[in-house]
Amino acid sequence: MKRSRRSRRLPRLPRRPLRKLLILVLVMLLLPIGLLFYYDTKLHRVDALANYSGRPSDTPGANWLIVGTDSREGLTQEQKDELATGDAEGERTDTIMLAHIPLTGKPMLISIPRDLYVPIPGMGSHKINAAFNDGGPQLLVQTVEGLTGLRIDHYAQIGFGGFDKVVDSVGGVKMCIDQPLRDPKAGLNLKAGCQKLNGKQALGLVRTRAFPNADLERVVNQRKFFSALMKRGMSPAVFLNPFRLFPFMSGVASSVTVAKGDHLWNLAWLGFRLRGNFITTTTPTAGAEYTDDGDSLAVGDNTNEFFAYLRKGKTPPDELLSNG
């Protein structure tokens, strides 16, 4: 005997539970979007990308200028002591990196040594970190654009204050250290090998200059750490875990300064592009020279050739790339 058509119908959900389910799904979709916009309003912003006469026109891809400073703003005396930051006032650049996201090919994370001796508009030639120290983000952007011929599209800056919280919010960052590192001035005491660094340890690592070649070794560690942080921040363990994601977003929003017109989703896109396989290098130079600013690094033909490839949307050849 055939079953009736009515007997084969699936039971209907009561309207009230169905409505509650739809509301729950809607809330789950809208809450992250709402929080994204909320945290975006908390980002600090600065007019870093002002136009000026002779500014480079748009170049292929997107270019980020990423700056780490020694600003202690927002730190209590107890936190300064805990993080071994010292009490210096103002802010100077400890880190200058260029993130180049080409239209095709691998992204690049490029360290610009702070001792690179370059022309600074209105100041003559000095070490490049003097541009930020004396003229802030605008002058540093203009100086980097003059050096590279690239148009800077985005700007991001972070100081000591809040750096440790960003790292701790994602549960620490795994790093592999080639040698034991001990630097009391940076509050650093690390063993060799792969290990997870907390915020205090990570800050000490990117600050320390306790190497024979000082800054050139430090910029390598800074790139390694930045790469590891992006990989961790964009990992499912953080990105799909609200107990990690929201503190991470909050930490970034309270600690990072961006250019006017930049948003939290721009930072997320940068992290997404730098989460995996990309090229890291230091700007090639003509080597050491002694200048009015003391021991410096000279701009050479290899420096100009390196940035010429980027302006054309091409990856520089291996002989222009370096880990040091």
Side-chain angles (χ1 to χ4, degrees):
M1 187 175 187
K2 293 184 179 180
R3 294 181 180 178
S4 66
R5 183 172 298 177
R6 176 175 296 180
S7 66
R8 293 198 303 269
R9 291 179 179 173
L10 295 175
R12 292 184 178 180
L13 288 174
R15 289 186 177 181
R16 190 174 298 275
L18 181 59
R19 186 180 298 114
K20 289 182 178 179
L21 178 61
L22 291 174
I23 292 174
L24 179 61
V25 170
L26 188 62
V27 169
M28 291 177 65
L29 290 174
L30 293 181
L31 181 60
I33 297 174
L35 287 172
L36 178 66
F37 278 91
Y38 169 75
Y39 287 127
D40 182 65
T41 65
K42 300 299 181 181
L43 277 172
H44 305 284
R45 289 182 167 86
V46 64
D47 187 15
L49 305 179
N51 285 317
Y52 57 87
S53 177
R55 188 180 184 196
S57 57
D58 286 340
T59 44
N63 299 299
W64 282 80
L65 186 62
I66 302 169
V67 177
T69 78
D70 63 359
S71 171
R72 282 85 171 166
E73 184 177 354
L75 292 177
T76 65
Q77 187 59 51
E78 183 179 359
Q79 290 171 322
K80 292 177 184 178
D81 295 339
E82 172 66 18
L83 297 173
T85 64
D87 294 308
E89 296 181 356
E91 55 183 347
R92 289 148 291 277
T93 48
D94 276 349
T95 307
I96 305 173
M97 290 191 291
L98 180 68
H100 176 66
I101 314 297
L103 297 176
T104 59
K106 294 181 180 179
M108 297 183 68
L109 186 62
I110 305 156
S111 296
I112 301 177
R114 67 177 190 169
D115 290 341
L116 192 62
Y117 196 71
V118 299
I120 299 175
M123 292 179 56
S125 291
H126 293 279
K127 293 181 180 181
I128 195 168
N129 65 332
F132 183 92
N133 301 350
D134 293 356
Q138 272 194 20
L139 186 57
L140 179 60
V141 168
Q142 187 175 352
T143 301
V144 171
E145 289 182 334
L147 168 69
T148 65
L150 296 167
R151 188 180 183 94
I152 302 301
D153 304 294
H154 305 277
Y155 177 85
Q157 171 189 321
I158 187 169
F160 289 169
F163 180 96
D164 59 316
K165 293 179 181 178
V166 172
V167 177
D168 289 336
S169 70
V170 297
V173 173
K174 187 176 181 180
M175 293 283 293
C176 293
I177 311 298
D178 296 332
Q179 60 185 3
L181 294 177
R182 188 174 184 276
D183 183 358
K185 292 182 179 180
L188 186 65
N189 188 5
L190 296 177
K191 61 184 181 181
C194 296
Q195 56 204 287
K196 183 172 284 189
L197 305 186
N198 60 29
K200 178 183 177 181
Q201 293 169 323
L203 180 59
L205 177 66
V206 300
R207 289 180 57 206
T208 184
R209 303 175 66 193
F211 308 105
N213 55 355
D215 272 338
L216 292 181
E217 182 68 22
R218 177 166 70 165
V219 297
V220 174
N221 285 331
Q222 289 170 346
R223 292 198 307 270
K224 287 180 178 178
F225 169 76
F226 189 81
S227 172
L229 179 61
M230 293 299 98
K231 184 176 181 179
R232 176 63 177 171
M234 294 294 107
S235 69
V238 173
F239 206 69
L240 299 180
N241 181 353
F243 297 102
R244 289 290 187 200
L245 177 60
F246 296 148
F248 181 45
M249 292 170 61
S250 177
V252 169
S254 62
S255 307
V256 176
T257 297
V258 296
K260 292 181 178 179
D262 283 332
H263 297 279
L264 200 57
W265 43 91
N266 297 126
L267 289 170
W269 177 246
L270 175 66
F272 178 77
R273 292 302 308 271
L274 296 181
R275 77 196 186 285
N277 188 20
F278 61 96
I279 298 169
T280 70
T281 189
T282 301
T283 301
T285 72
E289 66 172 352
Y290 191 80
T291 69
D292 291 340
D293 288 356
D295 292 329
S296 307
L297 291 170
V299 171
D301 292 339
N302 54 350
T303 314
N304 298 324
E305 185 181 1
F306 176 84
F307 288 116
Y309 277 98
L310 300 188
R311 291 195 299 271
K312 296 175 183 176
K314 299 179 178 180
T315 301
D318 290 344
E319 60 265 26
L320 292 176
L321 303 179
S322 169
N323 287 325

